[in-house]
Amino acid sequence: MSRFKDALISGIVLLLGRSGRRPVARRERPRIVTAGAPERAAENAVLVLLALVAVCAAAFVVFYALDRLGHQTQWLGLALGLAFALLALACVAIAKRLVVTEELSEPYPQLQHLEDQAEIEQIVEESGSRFTRRGLVKLVGAGALGTLGVAALTPAVSLGPVFDTSQLARSPWRRGLRLVDEAGKPLAAKDVEKESFYTAYPEHADRELMGSPVVVVRIDEGIVAYSKICTHAGCAIALYRKPTFADTEPRPALVCPCHYSTFDPAQDGKVLFGPAGRPLPQLPLLVDGDGNLRAAGNFNRAPGPSWGGVRQTEAHT
Amino acid sequence: MIRGLVRFVDQRSGAAPFVKKALRYVFPDHWSFLLGEVALYCFILLVATGVYLTLFFDDSRSQVVYQGSYAPLRGDSMSRAYESVVHLSLDVKAGLLMRQTHHWAANVFIAAIVLHVLRVFFTGAFRKPRDLTYLIGLSMLFIALLEGYLGYSLADDLLSGMGLAIGNSVAISLPVIGQYVGALIWGGQFPGSAAFWPRMYIAHVLIIPLAIVALLTVHLVLVAARHHTQFRESPKTTER
């Protein structure tokens, strides 16, 4: 019982402070920081806030330990977020109300040390006074270090086929390859209807290649296929625009939704509008004995977004 | 306690004069001077949560069939990278919390840097002798943007695929050197060789964070050496 009383009294003393018999602070030297009056209200607020931080942090551990808690992530986030928010509040209260602050003016640090600058220059000059052909030494030294730098960077070339940029024009298409839909089913010529839009891939080939996906449409002249990758920035040609205004747009056109590059399927993928700098690559087609569409060769130009010199590059398998 | 600690540190490092100066550092009393600190704490948070994420993330693009706990995706083909992200988000306790904290800290990081740059710009704090500090800060902004882009790309979801496709088209469209840069970074035509993912990964978790740490150190040393810009003394509180 008396132990409990001791604990209670010491707890109260801890909370309220020993205002009655505060020992006189040892004052051997004058204060550096200006004096400030105590602020019990702010101090109490900080104590409460810090206690709440501990409660929230403990709640985080509890939420983590509970296995069958619905919305566990949200509870964890709430507990941790509150803990940090309350800690921030406590810090603000401490900084604004409790830590002794004072308004001072201070000159900016010295901008430069003229004497030291001169001495450094002198030391460097004098240390190198035994060289007789300084210009030549500097030139050769720069050449040596520069070449060494180039040598050190050379292994980076192994990262990729730097000088073999024909890679960029790669396409899986070749003569005789069947066009298949997303499910892998061959695309029959009779199924390709006007005013509709089909996406096809080369049979048994990697569909992630830039050159793989094609769009197939039926126009007045017959069925045509183009690379589905816009020649501007590599987005997918995902729209087949109907003529919305017959005077200027007499025929449907292939449109990339990213920046509205518009290509004419009847004129070898000519750019009608938008930022694309070159026509859409066309895939020559043939119809086999079963009535299915097959490639009659590779694209007539490099598929994918454009790069310097792309107009001189042909698609290659 | 303070006396003992100070003695311990000073006797072993001789840091007492610096610490004394730092404690009496005249710091401008305005909230806008804390924006840079917000960015700094975001960076610390990003490193902490990022380290946690690396313990679960797999940087491989090899295809697997998802068999995890999220029913709508079961049976779908996906990369190991994305599978590990889904696993971390849905099956690891507090995994989604760590991932989302990383995500939002990255957003706040960029926002805080931008606001910090605005404060520096509009208070004229970019001028000599702080011009170098400013330029280092600006380069950190661009490096942070690249870092965010890589993090966005590593998850290998649909957004990251499109983002990388745009990045690739931008890279190869550079005049004269574009095709070589693209071929070098991606190891060929987009989506690139299998080695591209580990390349992005090591850049995201090691090379770029190290670059930020190095620039950050120089940035802070320069700030401390040249001191903060200060507002004019306010007439209200000046006793002269």
Side-chain angles (χ1 to χ4, degrees):
Chain A
M1 193 61 209
S2 86
R3 187 178 289 175
F4 175 73
K5 207 171 81 184
D6 285 352
L8 193 69
I9 290 172
S10 53
I12 290 170
V13 167
L14 259 180
L15 267 177
L16 301 178
R18 291 173 296 170
S19 47
R21 40 197 174 93
R22 186 183 297 268
V24 182
R26 275 179 301 163
R27 186 62 60 81
E28 296 138 10
R29 34 168 88 239
R31 281 191 75 101
I32 303 172
V33 179
T34 50
E39 280 213 50
R40 292 301 292 264
E43 213 172 321
N44 288 342
V46 167
L47 287 173
V48 171
L49 286 169
L50 289 178
L52 288 174
V53 170
V55 170
C56 288
F60 180 85
V61 179
V62 172
F63 291 148
Y64 184 87
L66 290 176
D67 269 333
R68 298 176 162 278
L69 184 69
H71 304 294
Q72 192 181 34
T73 301
Q74 283 75 7
W75 285 113
L76 288 171
L78 192 68
L80 201 59
L82 267 181
F84 276 115
L86 293 166
L87 185 63
L89 275 180
C91 287
V92 169
I94 290 172
K96 285 270 177 201
R97 306 284 295 276
L98 290 173
V99 172
V100 180
T101 53
E102 54 197 307
E103 188 162 327
L104 292 174
S105 57
E106 179 197 51
Y108 281 124
Q110 195 185 350
L111 180 63
Q112 52 184 347
H113 313 83
L114 289 173
E115 191 53 37
D116 289 329
Q117 289 175 11
E119 278 181 22
I120 289 174
E121 194 186 341
Q122 199 186 338
I123 291 168
V124 173
E125 294 274 337
E126 289 172 3
S127 301
S129 58
R130 291 168 76 188
F131 287 102
T132 54
R133 292 162 293 174
R134 287 191 198 182
L136 186 63
V137 171
K138 276 183 203 160
L139 198 69
V140 174
L145 293 181
T147 316
L148 192 58
V150 170
L153 287 177
T154 303
V157 174
S158 306
L159 287 174
V162 188
F163 302 109
D164 177 21
T165 53
S166 62
Q167 271 270 329
L168 296 177
R170 195 151 61 113
S171 147
W173 291 102
R174 54 188 165 74
R175 188 178 171 84
L177 217 53
R178 279 205 290 197
L179 278 70
V180 296
D181 65 11
E182 273 181 61
K185 204 167 74 65
L187 198 62
K190 66 173 169 43
D191 293 340
V192 178
E193 290 171 10
K194 261 192 174 178
E195 296 188 358
S196 195
F197 171 95
Y198 304 84
T199 299
Y201 302 92
E203 195 172 24
H204 308 306
D206 182 3
R207 291 185 181 185
E208 288 204 352
L209 286 178
M210 272 290 174
S212 273
V214 293
V215 293
V216 182
V217 291
R218 184 187 284 276
I219 53 175
D220 293 339
E221 293 85 345
I223 300 173
V224 286
Y226 290 92
S227 166
K228 197 180 166 76
I229 306 300
C230 181
T231 56
H232 170 225
C235 290
I237 308 285
L239 303 170
Y240 190 40
R241 189 199 64 191
K242 281 185 182 169
T244 44
F245 184 57
D247 287 352
T248 54
E249 302 166 358
R251 280 189 303 273
L254 295 164
V255 177
C256 170
C258 283
H259 311 95
Y260 233 73
S261 288
T262 307
F263 305 92
D264 188 348
Q267 292 184 65
D268 190 23
K270 189 180 127 186
V271 181
L272 296 175
F273 180 79
R278 63 191 179 101
L280 214 50
Q282 188 176 12
L283 185 73
L285 294 177
L286 55 84
V287 180
D288 65 14
D290 301 327
N292 291 326
L293 292 174
R294 284 176 189 267
N298 203 344
F299 287 116
N300 61 349
R301 47 184 79 89
S306 302
W307 64 89
V310 66
R311 289 185 185 81
Q312 286 81 51
T313 316
E314 289 185 4
H316 79 104
T317 42
Chain B
M1 193 180 90
I2 296 176
R3 179 175 296 175
L5 183 68
V6 168
R7 186 174 296 156
F8 181 92
V9 171
D10 187 42
Q11 285 174 348
R12 283 156 186 82
S13 65
F18 299 103
V19 176
K20 197 185 81 186
K21 260 180 138 177
L23 283 174
R24 297 292 285 162
Y25 186 92
V26 176
F27 194 90
D29 184 17
H30 193 267
W31 59 267
S32 66
F33 282 81
L34 297 174
L35 289 166
E37 287 192 48
V38 172
L40 174 65
Y41 301 141
C42 280
F43 182 69
I44 294 169
L45 198 56
L46 282 166
V47 171
T49 51
V51 167
Y52 188 82
L53 298 186
T54 59
L55 303 178
F56 296 91
F57 183 71
D58 185 337
D59 63 349
S60 158
R61 277 202 81 230
S62 59
Q63 295 289 304
V64 292
V65 176
Y66 182 72
Q67 301 292 357
S69 66
Y70 185 59
L73 277 179
R74 224 172 275 152
D76 280 3
S77 174
M78 57 176 66
S79 66
R80 277 286 302 130
Y82 185 60
E83 193 204 27
S84 69
V85 170
V86 173
H87 171 74
L88 168 70
S89 305
L90 302 178
D91 301 329
V92 175
K93 254 195 210 180
L96 188 58
L97 180 76
M98 287 294 166
R99 206 182 143 212
Q100 289 290 303
T101 308
H102 196 71
H103 173 101
W104 283 101
N107 286 353
V108 176
F109 186 45
I110 303 287
I113 296 177
V114 169
L115 293 173
H116 178 58
V117 170
L118 287 178
R119 195 277 293 166
V120 165
F121 184 79
F122 286 113
T123 57
F126 56 86
R127 293 176 294 186
K128 191 182 143 194
R130 296 178 190 77
D131 46 356
L132 197 56
T133 320
Y134 176 66
L135 291 176
I136 290 172
L138 267 192
S139 23
M140 278 197 283
L141 169 62
F142 292 115
I143 293 175
L145 286 172
L146 177 64
E147 176 74 339
Y149 171 72
L150 289 181
Y152 175 90
S153 302
L154 275 170
D156 201 20
D157 50 11
L158 281 178
L159 288 172
S160 89
M162 200 63 237
L164 281 174
I166 292 167
N168 175 265
S169 74
V170 170
I172 65 173
S173 73
L174 289 173
V176 186
I177 55 164
Q179 64 268 45
Y180 308 114
V181 171
L184 184 70
I185 296 176
W186 271 267
Q189 187 195 40
F190 187 81
S193 74
F196 178 61
W197 236 255
R199 273 174 210 176
M200 279 208 297
Y201 189 46
I202 200 67
H204 182 75
V205 303
L206 181 72
I207 298 170
I208 294 182
L210 272 188
I212 293 181
V213 166
L215 291 173
L216 193 61
T217 311
V218 180
H219 193 76
L220 292 179
V221 166
L222 284 179
V223 167
R226 294 286 85 171
H227 287 213
H228 282 75
T229 48
Q230 304 280 353
F231 286 115
R232 220 172 279 154
E233 277 177 290
S234 61
K236 262 180 296 179
T237 50
T238 305
E239 287 166 3
R240 265 173 290 153

